[in-house]
Amino acid sequence: MTVTYTARVANARFCGFSKLLLAWRGSIYKLLYKEFVAFFAMYTAISITYRFLLFDDQKRYFEKLAIYCNHYASLIPMSFVLGFYVTLVVNRWWSQYTSIPLPDQLMCILSGGLQGGDERGRLLRRTMMRYASLSALLILRSVSTAVFKRFPTIDHVVEAGFMTREERKKFESLQSPYNKYWIPCVWFTNLAAVARCEGRIKDDNTLKLLLEELNVFRGKCSMLFHYDMISVPLVYTQVVTLAVYSFFLVCLIGRQFLDPAQGYPGHDLDLYVPIFTLLQFFFYAGWLKVAEQLINPFGEDDDDFETNWLIDRNFQVSMMAVDEMYGDLPLMQRDRYWNDSNPRPPYTAATVFVLRLKTDTLAHTNIKQQEEERGQPLI
């Protein structure tokens, strides 16, 4: 399930993010600890070999090699290559989220535009909304690992109630080598035309509005299909991965603490544990791990999209909107501020102090501005 922590940092305060550093689920520690332990173990093995297993002439050669590696490791443009790549992946990640088809606008238009409280009107509204949900399910099933595990075959889609057996026969009889998520959208438009002919959709403007909203819904399904088909170019991902791995492989030798007695510049201190090299590994490799997790948010990582929850939520609210809530209105009454020209909703005791503080601050600011305009000193 997606890790949500925004409520814990709703207000900025001293060390406000520090409370998040100990979280494990969805954390960088959980993503990176295996690579971190492997890097430190290799560094320690090389250090022990240098200090205790090599002869003096072998140590001198290793020291020259370490200085050489440390000097030329800076030629790898880590910050530029990795930063640009992560920015690209994060933008792609957010665009994928905004491309998830949501039925909210479509169900509101359908509920208000397709008239009829009889069984035929109810059947039309529910069937059309189910077709939209089926289209979203088919595309999510093709891009999301979690959804595919839930609906591995069309039989499971039928058993779940998104498709009838007759619709399945019609669906499978339409031969196409490509993803057929768009077929339920065509069924939706055909039913909308039938409803217009029956007079349940009163005018062409309502029909046009309904079909335009369906086209937006279908367009988002299409965008998810293209995001799944067209990835970030493999060469770019390979370049970034090779840059990070090669940089830290070089650091295994180049960042070793050398014998201070040899007088090498910058090697006056022997600390055994490379604290700043480990921090650098944590930040750079962690950055790469962020990109690795976000490049496909339809998997089963901690922070991937909750696609199965979205399917359940969208299907439930859309069916409720076009069926149970059709024509269902509460009794209209005068609101409590009917005769009040300056309505002010009440504040709770928890918020009245904040209101007074803001009011006093605003009043003081206004007085200060007036005094400055008159050239009079503040008392």
Side-chain angles (χ1 to χ4, degrees):
M1 185 175 181
T2 303
V3 178
T4 301
Y5 62 88
T6 50
R8 299 169 61 183
V9 291
N11 298 319
R13 57 173 63 91
F14 178 71
C15 294
F17 279 0
S18 59
K19 64 179 68 176
L20 304 177
L21 296 180
L22 300 179
W24 173 254
R25 187 170 168 273
S27 68
I28 187 62
Y29 318 118
K30 183 178 179 180
L31 280 177
L32 194 60
Y33 78 94
K34 293 180 181 179
E35 286 86 350
F36 186 85
V37 171
F39 177 79
F40 186 65
M42 288 188 289
Y43 181 93
T44 304
I46 295 175
S47 179
I48 292 174
T49 302
Y50 162 67
R51 296 171 186 274
F52 303 109
L53 301 180
L54 296 182
F55 298 108
D56 288 343
D57 57 337
Q58 293 174 330
K59 287 183 178 180
R60 303 294 84 79
Y61 180 81
F62 178 84
E63 289 162 359
K64 293 179 181 179
L65 179 62
I67 294 173
Y68 174 84
C69 291
N70 188 46
H71 176 73
Y72 286 100
S74 59
L75 296 180
I76 302 176
M78 287 285 295
S79 298
F80 172 75
V81 173
L82 192 55
F84 188 78
Y85 181 73
V86 173
T87 302
L88 174 67
V89 170
V90 170
N91 290 335
R92 175 185 169 89
W93 167 79
W94 182 248
S95 297
Q96 285 179 287
Y97 178 76
T98 56
S99 297
I100 296 177
L102 299 177
D104 298 58
Q105 291 177 284
L106 184 61
M107 69 188 189
C108 290
I109 296 174
L110 184 61
S111 179
L114 201 156
Q115 305 298 315
D118 57 345
E119 184 175 354
R120 173 66 177 175
R122 181 188 179 194
L123 180 63
L124 283 170
R125 287 189 300 273
R126 288 184 64 91
T127 303
M128 292 170 69
M129 204 65 246
R130 181 169 56 82
Y131 286 160
S133 299
L134 175 60
S135 183
L137 172 62
L138 291 177
I139 193 61
L140 288 174
R141 178 177 171 269
S142 66
V143 303
S144 172
T145 304
V147 176
F148 185 78
K149 285 184 177 180
R150 183 181 178 184
F151 304 100
T153 64
I154 295 298
D155 288 334
H156 292 82
V157 177
V158 174
E159 291 174 3
F162 287 91
M163 181 186 292
T164 66
R165 300 190 182 278
E166 291 299 321
E167 290 166 354
R168 177 191 175 181
K169 293 178 182 178
K170 179 69 69 174
F171 182 83
E172 293 179 341
S173 66
L174 298 170
Q175 300 299 320
S176 176
Y178 309 108
N179 193 313
K180 297 191 289 186
Y181 68 90
W182 48 270
I183 290 179
C185 291
V186 177
W187 291 346
F188 184 105
T189 59
N190 293 340
L191 269 184
V194 170
R196 178 69 182 100
C197 292
E198 294 180 358
R200 295 182 181 273
I201 297 179
K202 298 301 182 181
D203 53 65
D204 293 335
N205 288 331
T206 304
L207 177 63
K208 180 176 179 290
L209 181 62
L210 181 62
L211 295 184
E212 284 178 347
E213 190 55 46
L214 174 69
N215 197 41
V216 172
F217 186 88
R218 184 213 53 79
K220 291 189 174 184
C221 294
S222 178
M223 285 302 300
L224 286 185
F225 173 73
H226 289 294
Y227 272 121
D228 182 65
M229 182 178 64
I230 302 175
S231 304
V232 175
L234 179 61
V235 290
Y236 195 6
T237 303
Q238 289 175 336
V239 166
V240 174
T241 305
L242 286 174
V244 174
Y245 286 174
S246 59
F247 176 80
F248 286 107
L249 285 176
V250 172
C251 285
L252 288 174
I253 298 176
R255 299 294 177 85
Q256 292 288 335
F257 289 102
L258 304 181
D259 186 2
Q262 301 301 315
Y264 297 115
H267 291 276
D268 303 325
L269 190 63
D270 191 359
L271 295 179
Y272 296 95
V273 179
I275 298 176
F276 290 99
T277 300
L278 293 178
L279 286 176
Q280 195 174 31
F281 178 85
F282 189 83
F283 297 143
Y284 281 153
W287 219 358
L288 182 64
K289 278 292 182 181
V290 169
E292 181 183 327
Q293 186 175 38
L294 297 185
I295 198 169
N296 182 12
F298 293 103
E300 295 180 298
D301 295 325
D302 286 341
D303 277 314
D304 285 342
F305 301 149
E306 290 293 328
T307 45
N308 278 318
W309 179 87
L310 282 172
I311 289 172
D312 294 339
R313 179 264 174 195
N314 294 341
F315 190 64
Q316 193 272 333
V317 299
S318 61
M319 286 301 180
M320 178 183 293
V322 300
D323 188 5
E324 295 179 29
M325 294 187 65
Y326 174 75
D328 183 19
L329 288 172
L331 179 65
M332 289 199 305
Q333 298 177 346
R334 293 183 177 183
D335 59 82
R336 62 181 301 178
Y337 306 106
W338 184 264
N339 295 317
D340 193 347
S341 60
N342 185 25
R344 291 178 59 85
Y347 286 82
T348 63
T351 58
V352 68
F353 174 76
V354 178
L355 175 65
R356 288 177 179 174
L357 182 63
K358 290 182 178 179
T359 303
D360 294 342
T361 303
L362 182 61
H364 178 74
T365 302
N366 293 335
I367 294 174
K368 182 178 179 181
Q369 290 177 350
Q370 293 175 3
E371 296 292 341
E372 289 177 350
E373 292 175 356
R374 296 173 183 173
Q376 300 176 357
L378 292 174
I379 299 176

